Amino acid sequence: MLGIPAVEWFGYFASIVVAISLTMSSIVKLRWLNMFGAAIFSAYGFIIGALPVALLNLFIVFANIYYLRRIYTQTSQYRLLEVTSDSHYLNFFVEHYQPEIKAIFPHFDKSSLAQSPLCFLMLKEALPIGVFVGHVDEQGQMEIYLDFVMPEYRDFKIGKYLYQNHDFFAEHQIQSLSAVSSDARHSKYLSQMGFSQSTDNTWSRPI
């Protein structure tokens, strides 16, 4: 095609994959795609006899494997920090991500914070990456108003830490969870976290 050797198309494809990887907002997706692109580029370098290209990209492959392994195996890096509903940082975080929060949680607004006795910042090491707020009734059912994480950290890792944190639920006498979702991405997340869909927009799960 166009007089270009097939091996060059191989190189162009590798370049496209690497370029696309750099547009990913999720760190996990970025590393997976970048690793795939680097592997293709490394193979391309060996095929054409360009050892600097081949070896550099092979190093990138192993670097991505190292960091992906850390991402998937480390859970101690996550923490929940309880704050009050009038926390300046909590309100700043919600305001900063308001457009996306509104798209995923259309029923949530700033006034919902005042109705949320339980408000938490979700931390990765010392970095706030998300917010978790809700209300627990007398029967121990927690209605989740907001469970939002920054786009670059949406790898389900913090969610698994949160929803498998039995000490957290026991401390706050939470027996079951409920959430409302009208967003396909959020519904997929709830399903991954063990929620079952009870009505069109309502999801629930026991502890």
Side-chain angles (χ1 to χ4, degrees), residues 132-135 137 140-146 163 174-181 186 190 195-196 198 201-207:
F132 182 69
V133 299
H135 176 269
D137 65 19
Q141 179 176 17
M142 181 177 188
E143 182 179 356
I144 300 170
Y145 295 150
L146 183 62
Y163 291 110
I174 299 170
Q175 304 295 322
S176 61
L177 302 167
S178 67
V180 174
S181 175
H186 187 221
L190 291 173
F195 284 75
S196 298
S198 49
N201 294 328
T202 304
W203 295 72
S204 60
R205 60 157 282 186
I207 298 302

Side-chain angles (χ1 to χ4, degrees), residues 16-138:
I16 292 171
V17 172
V18 171
I20 292 175
S21 75
L22 299 177
T23 69
M24 297 290 103
S25 59
S26 166
I27 293 175
V28 173
K29 290 180 180 178
L30 185 155
R31 289 208 172 274
W32 272 110
L33 200 56
N34 188 263
M35 181 177 67
F36 178 60
I40 300 173
F41 238 133
S42 181
Y44 170 73
F46 282 116
I47 290 171
I48 66 173
L51 286 182
V53 173
L55 295 177
L56 173 61
N57 282 279
L58 189 60
F59 171 80
I60 293 172
V61 169
F62 284 111
N64 277 308
I65 290 173
Y66 171 78
Y67 284 107
L68 281 168
R69 184 178 181 276
R70 286 188 58 185
I71 289 171
Y72 283 113
T73 58
Q74 290 186 357
T75 57
S76 59
Q77 59 189 322
Y78 298 109
R79 293 288 186 275
L80 291 173
L81 177 65
E82 188 166 6
V83 296
T84 58
S85 60
D86 59 354
S87 161
H88 292 303
Y89 189 84
L90 174 65
N91 281 271
F92 168 78
F93 191 101
V94 170
E95 276 190 29
H96 183 77
Y97 288 101
Q98 185 62 29
E100 191 170 7
I101 288 175
K102 196 66 177 176
I104 301 174
F105 304 90
H107 303 296
F108 182 87
D109 56 36
K110 289 290 292 293
S111 65
S112 300
L113 285 178
Q115 305 167 22
S116 306
L118 292 182
C119 299
F120 298 88
L121 293 175
M122 295 187 280
L123 309 179
K124 181 176 182 181
E125 296 175 348
L127 175 68
I129 63 172
V131 294
F132 182 69
V133 299
H135 176 269
V136 181
D137 65 19
E138 295 179 354

